């Protein structure tokens, strides 16, 4: 039988080796292959959002009304739309529909105005904006000598965009119209403000008096 003083050191040494093996090897080590090189991320990744649905496209015409000048957005032709008054017209195309909104400030208070989207951009002459934009064009209103359609089958708020409004005591108003179609390329470029609300009867459909002002939107 070995003496006690030789057994104890041997036992302690074996125990120390066992503990070292247990501590030095994390759980699961050796069960899976070592990871490969980390893939480098380049560019600017888009952060996740709750919705990836694209926003509607939009076009905007806004400014203070003044007499015509080259490049002007908001043009007044009549004192009933005073210089220094302002307007903002916005177009949104979304899902095959078109929404046009109009906000005016500083007009004559508590007054009625007509307003429509017209074919061309504003110019030095009120007639430069051309006739009302129509989704289905009135065949009787085509040609150089015809400037307006008065047939209610075509001149109506579903086939055109009408934005008639009445100002409040401060001369401000907001109006919006949505239709189930979109503009043809290069047309529907302005909103023209007229002297009266728009007629709807045969022979006067679409008519709204003098052209007082114009806002180019496209």
């Amino acid at each position: 039988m070995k003496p006690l003083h030789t057994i104890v050191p041997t036992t302690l040494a074996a125990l120390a080796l066992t503990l070292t093996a247990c501590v030095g090897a994390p759980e699961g080590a050796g069960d899976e292959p070592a990871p490969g090189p980390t893939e480098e991320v380049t560019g600017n990744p888009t952060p996740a959002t709750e919705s990836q649905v694209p926003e509607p496209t939009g076009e905007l015409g806004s400014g203070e009304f003044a007499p015509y000048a080259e490049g002007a957005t908001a043009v007044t032709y009549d004192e009933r739309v005073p210089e220094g008054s302002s307007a903002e017209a916005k177009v949104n195309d979304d899902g095959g529909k078109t929404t046009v909104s109009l906000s005016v400030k500083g007009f004559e208070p508590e007054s009625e105005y007509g307003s429509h989207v017209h074919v061309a951009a504003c110019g030095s002459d009120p007639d430069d904006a051309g006739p009302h934009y129509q989704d289905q064009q009135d065949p009787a209103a085509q040609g150089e000598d015809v400037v307006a359609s008065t047939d209610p089958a075509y001149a109506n708020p579903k086939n055109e965009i009408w934005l008639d409004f009445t100002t409040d005591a401060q001369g401000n108003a907001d109006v919006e119209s949505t239709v189930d179609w979109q503009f043809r390329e290069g047309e529907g470029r302005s909103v023209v403000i007229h002297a009266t609300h728009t007629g709807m009867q045969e022979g006067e459909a679409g008519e709204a008096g003098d052209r007082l002002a114009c806002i180019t939107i496209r």
Side-chain angles (χ1 to χ4, degrees):
M1 182 174 179
K2 293 183 179 181
L4 183 60
H5 69 276
T6 61
I7 295 173
V8 171
T10 303
T11 303
L12 291 175
L15 180 60
L17 288 173
T18 302
L19 290 173
T20 300
C22 294
V23 173
E27 183 180 355
D31 294 340
E32 298 179 1
T38 303
E39 182 180 352
E40 184 179 357
V41 178
T42 59
N44 297 310
T46 303
T49 60
E50 292 184 3
S51 173
Q52 296 294 337
V53 178
E55 290 294 323
T57 59
E59 295 175 274
L60 178 69
S62 64
E64 291 189 357
F65 286 101
Y68 177 78
E70 189 70 30
T73 299
V75 182
T76 179
Y77 308 109
D78 190 283
E79 62 184 7
R80 285 169 285 183
V81 176
E83 291 185 40
S85 61
S86 64
E88 180 178 275
K90 187 172 184 180
V91 179
N92 275 321
D93 301 329
D94 186 21
K97 297 178 180 290
T98 300
T99 297
V100 182
S101 60
L102 176 67
S103 177
V104 302
K105 294 182 179 180
F107 282 33
E108 290 187 348
E110 299 177 344
S111 298
E112 294 184 354
Y113 293 84
S115 184
H116 321 99
V117 172
H118 283 241
V119 171
C122 308
S124 58
D125 188 284
D127 288 337
D128 287 342
H132 296 180
Y133 181 91
Q134 294 183 330
D135 181 47
Q136 300 295 322
Q137 296 175 288
D138 183 351
Q142 305 303 307
E144 295 181 358
D145 296 332
V146 180
V147 296
S149 168
T150 57
D151 182 347
Y154 296 92
N156 63 70
K158 292 184 178 180
N159 192 48
E160 301 181 348
I161 295 180
W162 295 7
L163 297 160
D164 291 8
F165 59 90
T166 301
T167 55
D168 62 17
Q170 286 71 48
N172 306 331
D174 296 281
V175 63
E176 182 178 280
S177 176
T178 299
V179 290
D180 293 327
W181 40 264
Q182 294 181 321
F183 291 120
R184 292 181 291 275
E185 185 69 26
E187 298 185 40
R189 299 190 58 201
S190 65
V191 173
V192 173
I193 296 171
H194 294 260
T196 66
H197 279 180
T198 309
M200 300 187 70
Q201 304 302 317
E202 185 78 35
E204 63 178 35
E207 293 186 347
D210 295 339
R211 300 185 183 196
L212 307 182
C214 183
I215 309 105
T216 296
I217 53 176
R218 291 154 57 82

